[in-house]
Amino acid sequence: MKSTINGDLSSLLAGAERDYLVRSNGNKVKISNLDASTVGLYFSSKGCGPCRRFTPKLVEAYNELSSRGDSFEIVFVPCDRAEDAFDEYFSKMPWLAVPFSDSSSRERLGDLFKVVNIPNLTIIDRSGNVVFEKGVQFVGEYGADVYPFTPEKVLKLEEEKEAAKREQTLRSLLVSPTRDYVVSNNGDKVPVSELEGKVVGLYFTVSHRSSDDDFTPVLNQLYEKLKEIGENFEVVLISLEEEESTYNESFAKMPWLAVPFKDKICDRLFHYFELQAIPTLVIVGADGKTLNNNVAEIVEGYGTEALQWFPFSPEKMEIVAEKAREKAEKQTLESILVHGELDHVVRNGDTKLQNSSGRTSCSTSQHNGAVGAALSYRN
């Protein structure tokens, strides 16, 4: 939705004693010389992890738009606290910036465009109209294809994504114009065609997060069990790592395959499956269609017992859900707290309270609430 900020580019981007922007090499560019029809104001900081992950995607999109001659420019509005952090961060950016020294202009722009979270990419036209506010979301998902940042273009891209899901195959998920293989941790290239006809788990993870590090060994055990009993199953790592050394270190401990480090498809699949949590294990059926958008909680909760519900189809998941409902209905306070000879709780001061003295059924809603709280913590 278009909204208007009073003022043209010069009045918006200039400072009290400044009529220019700067490049990372120190060159000054007069704001009046900007001839782009649309400008992206990029609020970001080196100290912000999501910013560091998004900036390379924005650089790639910007370079592609520049090579095509599209009328678009970016102005970096630094949110860094220290100038040396700004200098290092800005050195990797090919666009313009509000000088770090002009803190009053940086703060004014942040307030004017109601920037609450970073990274933030707000697209404005030459008259100061905000024409697109969700630049980070859609550049992250579609790259340069979202240009010229109009509702019509976004609608078209979303329709194409839905059509791609209807026509989905394993090749459409994992193959790119420059790569038709995945890799093993010893460097072998395995053609995606060799995975067709198998049930494939797409494992989205970031190592050195406690939830991911705890989940990987559990998945490993299930993977080996399924292999042992002859199930036609494979896992493909979709790593969201920032550093290649960390990617190599974590992948070396995994027995399955992976999409190469920093492959464009990793980000595309992250958005394609609309991930809500990490780790996520998407299950793709033998026909190339998605069977389940995330079975990580099932695998983590049941371990190798989860193989009884392989390949985690909707029908199998209904059995899991029914089992959970039955367990919730039978659950009592005593069943939760009593374990072997431990049949009491203690009050401050070591007073023992027998659990059986106040046996109370735990309602389904209470159970679900506890599970929800646990999952929120896990994510």
Side-chain angles (χ1 to χ4, degrees):
M1 183 175 180
K2 182 179 282 191
S3 59
T4 302
I5 303 293
N6 292 328
D8 57 15
L9 286 181
S10 293
S11 60
L12 283 174
L13 299 177
E17 300 179 354
R18 175 184 56 79
D19 62 353
Y20 60 86
L21 300 167
V22 295
R23 293 198 181 278
S24 58
N25 61 7
N27 290 347
K28 298 177 180 179
V29 177
K30 285 211 167 190
I31 299 170
S32 58
N33 289 341
L34 287 182
D35 58 0
S37 59
T38 53
V39 173
L41 300 180
Y42 183 41
F43 299 84
S44 184
S45 165
K46 178 181 181 291
C48 161
C51 297
R52 294 195 304 273
R53 287 191 290 273
F54 176 70
T55 297
K57 302 181 184 69
L58 185 57
V59 169
E60 184 177 5
Y62 176 84
N63 288 338
E64 183 175 340
L65 292 173
S66 297
S67 67
R68 291 183 345 203
D70 290 317
S71 187
F72 178 63
E73 187 53 79
I74 291 177
V75 175
F76 174 39
V77 184
C79 302
D80 299 282
R81 296 182 179 181
E83 189 165 9
D84 57 347
F86 161 76
D87 290 339
E88 181 183 349
Y89 194 37
F90 186 40
S91 68
K92 302 171 185 177
M93 300 179 184
W95 44 69
L96 303 165
V98 173
F100 179 84
S101 58
D102 191 352
S103 58
S104 60
S105 289
R106 296 192 286 122
E107 292 175 7
R108 173 177 56 82
L109 288 167
D111 292 339
L112 190 62
F113 291 96
K114 299 180 175 61
V115 176
V116 177
N117 298 311
I118 57 173
N120 179 296
L121 180 64
T122 298
I123 312 299
I124 63 175
D125 63 19
R126 296 191 60 80
S127 300
N129 296 313
V130 177
V131 297
F132 200 77
E133 295 179 311
K134 297 182 178 180
V136 170
Q137 175 184 341
F138 288 100
V139 170
E141 182 165 2
Y142 298 111
D145 290 342
V146 74
Y147 183 84
F149 307 101
T150 61
E152 294 77 16
K153 188 57 182 284
V154 169
L155 178 61
K156 180 182 178 184
L157 291 171
E158 295 288 90
E159 288 175 344
E160 290 174 350
K161 182 170 74 171
E162 290 307 310
K165 288 183 178 181
R166 291 192 297 271
E167 300 165 7
Q168 177 181 299
T169 65
L170 195 63
R171 287 188 62 82
S172 72
L173 292 174
L174 296 179
V175 172
S176 74
T178 59
R179 178 188 50 75
D180 63 355
Y181 59 86
V182 288
V183 295
S184 66
N185 58 17
N186 63 10
D188 290 341
K189 296 179 179 179
V190 179
V192 172
S193 59
E194 292 189 10
L195 304 183
E196 293 179 311
K198 294 184 177 183
V199 176
V200 175
L202 303 180
Y203 179 31
F204 295 83
T205 184
V206 179
S207 65
H208 301 308
R209 286 167 41 104
S210 59
S211 56
D212 297 60
D213 288 347
D214 291 344
F215 178 72
T216 297
V218 179
L219 177 59
N220 195 345
Q221 291 175 1
L222 178 64
Y223 175 82
E224 298 293 353
K225 278 287 186 182
L226 288 169
K227 291 285 189 180
E228 283 177 19
I229 64 176
E231 293 289 359
N232 211 8
F233 179 60
E234 190 52 74
V235 171
V236 175
L237 171 68
I238 313 294
S239 176
L240 304 176
E241 298 289 354
E242 291 185 58
E243 301 295 333
E244 188 169 11
S245 59
T246 309
Y247 166 88
N248 291 334
E249 180 185 347
S250 59
F251 185 32
K253 303 172 185 176
M254 300 176 183
W256 43 73
L257 303 169
V259 169
F261 175 71
K262 283 288 188 181
D263 193 284
K264 290 182 181 179
I265 277 181
C266 295
D267 286 322
R268 182 175 68 80
L269 291 176
F270 178 92
H271 292 286
Y272 180 85
F273 287 110
E274 299 175 357
L275 265 62
Q276 300 296 315
I278 297 294
T280 285
L281 182 63
V282 175
I283 302 297
V284 178
D287 60 355
K289 308 299 182 187
T290 302
L291 281 176
N292 198 303
N293 281 312
N294 190 8
V295 298
E297 292 168 13
I298 301 297
V299 172
E300 185 173 49
Y302 291 95
T304 55
E305 292 182 27
L307 63 82
Q308 64 188 298
W309 300 303
F310 183 81
F312 309 106
S313 62
E315 295 78 16
K316 295 284 188 178
M317 289 302 94
E318 182 53 39
I319 297 173
V320 179
E322 181 59 31
K323 184 174 181 178
R325 286 192 290 268
E326 291 175 358
K327 182 178 180 180
E329 290 168 359
K330 294 176 181 177
Q331 185 168 281
T332 65
L333 188 61
E334 186 171 351
S335 71
I336 297 173
L337 299 179
V338 173
H339 180 69
E341 297 181 358
L342 179 62
D343 63 350
H344 60 273
V345 292
V346 295
R347 180 179 286 147
N348 189 20
D350 294 332
T351 302
K352 294 183 179 181
L353 299 176
Q354 295 299 123
N355 293 322
S356 58
S357 64
R359 184 177 298 178
T360 306
S361 292
C362 186
S363 69
T364 302
S365 61
Q366 290 171 318
H367 171 76
N368 290 343
V371 172
L375 293 180
S376 296
Y377 178 79
R378 175 177 177 273
N379 295 342

